[in-house]
Amino acid sequence: MQYRTSLLALSLLTLWQAPALAAPGNTCTGQALSKTFASGASWNLCWTARQAEGIVLSQVTYKATNNAARRVLGEAALSQLETALDDGSVTPLFLTTEAGFGGNNLQTLTTQDCAGGTLHADSGRNVLCETTRSHGYSYKYTTQRQGQLLELASHSQIGSRNYSVRWRFYENGTIEPSVGLSGELPIVDASAAQYGWPAMASGKIATGFTDHALWRLDFDLDTSNANDVVEEITSTPSTDRLKKTKAVTTLSTETGRSFDPETKRFWRIRDGILSNGSVGQLSYELVPNHYDQSRANSSNAGWLAQDVFFTRYNACEKYATNNPTSNCGSNTSQFTNGENINQQDVVVWYKQSYHHLPRSEDSNRISTVWSSFQLLPRDWHSTNPF
């Protein structure tokens, strides 16, 4: 019952009021960090540690080989996290209610946590690990190229769980945020076998659970933070399913949308002015790595009803749900109140949902489970920069 005891203690914590987000623009929040690869491609960004979100990135800029440096994100962070157990007996937890554990309880890292990397400190504590590593082929045909990536990782302890937040910045301009779960299993009575799996030698049942992670991505493409455009792209199969027809629709007002495998629905955020010098317009595409549990919403919460929300920047819209500011909506479903987002400062709220049915291999420690997605350059370059 250790897991339940930890959850009960957390549910009694008082709400912690976080500081306001920085105003949009060219403001670098925290410490600067940069990486230049041997190819000449580079990433530049700033980072800071906040009590609720943990590591927050700002002014994320990418420079391809022999190209100009251009900003991608004005600010980005994990903005909310919820765990719902399959037996429904425990109230879900939010990052914003973890005051007694120091917000998300960002852990102090050691050299063992950052093998081959560089530790970065905030307020005298090492909380961020920077590593450069190979990621395999950038391409392979008659010629080939191996690529590298910059990885930034932090770890948080919430009750009996450990969450790892990892950002990967690829040499080709791809960004891959991910969250990894480890820790101890939630154990229930053997009579509740229908909600879990016998994962202990004693026969005790480990309850299945669903994690919902919400990311806040404030796109500020290039020099202006107020001229971004959201486009929804679909590829709809014909009746005989032999052809697929592409359609591109501009989303003009704040809205929540969901993935649709049948039409291969996805979205890109593009600059309202700049092209790549050829036929394309500078943009980044939202690419889910999987969304088989995207409809999981046991509490019928509005902020979990859609896979992605697009809103216009508002300084008081800080967290995807349990948003504490009184003059603002409490969650993303309330943020989408009809404001214009065409040629505006666009914020993307992206949801990841993962259901875990324990195995006996998880009995003493949950084998780390990663959930990730990608932000992929689309027409950011006129040709492959490598």
Side-chain angles (χ1 to χ4, degrees):
M1 300 301 290
Q2 178 180 354
Y3 187 86
R4 290 188 177 212
T5 302
S6 298
L7 293 181
L8 178 60
L10 291 176
S11 68
L12 298 175
L13 298 174
T14 56
L15 180 66
W16 174 77
Q17 295 290 335
L21 294 174
N26 298 315
T27 304
C28 177
T29 303
Q31 304 178 48
L33 189 151
S34 64
K35 171 64 185 180
T36 300
F37 300 98
S39 64
S42 64
W43 287 97
N44 288 272
L45 55 87
C46 301
W47 71 274
T48 190
R50 293 189 188 150
Q51 191 165 6
E53 302 103 304
I55 301 300
V56 179
L57 308 182
S58 64
Q59 303 307 312
V60 179
T61 301
Y62 171 66
K63 179 186 180 302
T65 306
N66 299 321
N67 280 261
R70 294 191 174 99
R71 181 175 55 186
V72 181
L73 296 165
E75 192 168 83
L78 181 66
S79 74
Q80 200 52 272
L81 188 63
E82 175 192 275
T83 298
L85 300 188
D86 286 3
D87 65 5
S89 62
V90 178
T91 302
L93 300 174
F94 306 106
L95 288 183
T96 43
T97 62
E98 306 304 313
F101 285 81
N104 66 14
N105 201 23
L106 203 61
Q107 297 292 284
T108 300
L109 305 182
T110 68
T111 54
Q112 187 177 3
D113 297 308
C114 193
T118 301
L119 290 167
H120 295 275
D122 177 82
S123 301
R125 292 196 305 128
N126 291 324
V127 294
L128 185 67
C129 172
E130 173 195 352
T131 310
T132 300
R133 62 180 77 245
S134 298
H135 67 72
Y137 291 115
S138 291
Y139 61 80
K140 184 175 181 358
Y141 185 47
T142 55
T143 59
Q144 62 171 273
R145 187 178 190 285
Q146 299 284 332
Q148 288 189 310
L149 59 83
L150 166 69
E151 180 178 293
L152 302 178
S154 61
H155 302 272
S156 297
Q157 191 74 24
I158 302 177
S160 58
R161 294 173 160 232
N162 185 277
Y163 289 97
S164 303
V165 176
R166 184 179 70 193
W167 295 85
R168 285 181 167 178
F169 299 90
Y170 289 74
E171 195 174 2
N172 65 2
T174 300
I175 303 174
E176 186 177 33
S178 55
V179 59
L181 165 69
S182 188
E184 294 182 346
L185 289 170
I187 303 300
V188 298
D189 189 283
S191 63
Q194 69 270 31
Y195 300 118
W197 199 266
M200 300 288 177
S202 62
K204 289 184 178 179
I205 303 299
T207 308
F209 56 87
T210 301
D211 272 351
H212 301 293
L214 267 290
W215 300 81
R216 181 183 181 275
L217 306 166
D218 178 11
F219 279 86
D220 291 339
L221 300 176
D222 204 53
T223 57
S224 174
N225 64 330
N227 67 345
D228 296 333
V229 176
V230 179
E231 291 179 340
E232 182 172 283
I233 304 169
T234 58
S235 296
T236 305
S238 59
T239 303
D240 59 11
R241 309 187 72 80
L242 297 178
K243 299 178 181 179
K244 285 191 175 182
T245 303
K246 180 200 72 179
V248 181
T249 304
T250 298
L251 302 183
S252 298
T253 58
E254 296 176 317
T255 186
R257 303 291 287 160
S258 290
F259 292 106
D260 182 357
E262 180 70 7
T263 61
K264 195 191 173 182
R265 181 186 296 159
F266 69 95
W267 302 269
R268 74 165 180 165
I269 296 83
R270 68 170 175 84
D271 190 89
I273 298 175
L274 291 178
S275 72
N276 60 21
S278 182
V279 296
Q281 292 177 295
L282 296 168
S283 70
Y284 262 75
E285 173 186 339
L286 178 62
V287 182
N289 284 3
H290 65 76
Y291 48 95
D292 55 300
Q293 295 295 323
S294 67
R295 299 297 183 269
N297 185 5
S298 58
S299 58
N300 293 317
W303 64 286
L304 297 176
Q306 305 285 345
D307 293 317
V308 58
F309 293 86
F310 302 98
T311 65
R312 184 171 173 173
Y313 177 89
N314 188 329
C316 69
E317 294 173 353
K318 304 171 186 178
Y319 311 114
T321 189
N322 207 33
N323 194 52
T325 309
S326 59
N327 62 342
C328 206
S330 66
N331 62 74
T332 51
S333 67
Q334 296 179 8
F335 300 165
T336 52
N337 55 9
E339 289 187 84
N340 175 39
I341 59 171
N342 193 26
Q343 297 275 349
Q344 300 294 329
D345 186 356
V346 173
V347 177
V348 177
W349 307 81
Y350 176 63
K351 180 189 75 172
Q352 292 177 283
S353 295
Y354 169 77
H355 179 258
H356 187 73
L357 188 60
R359 307 171 298 155
S360 58
E361 287 83 357
D362 295 323
S363 59
N364 53 342
R365 293 291 184 271
I366 301 172
S367 301
T368 303
V369 180
W370 289 97
S371 297
S372 64
F373 66 101
Q374 291 186 328
L375 302 175
L376 185 71
R378 175 172 283 273
D379 303 334
W380 197 257
H381 318 101
S382 56
T383 62
N384 189 325
F386 299 110

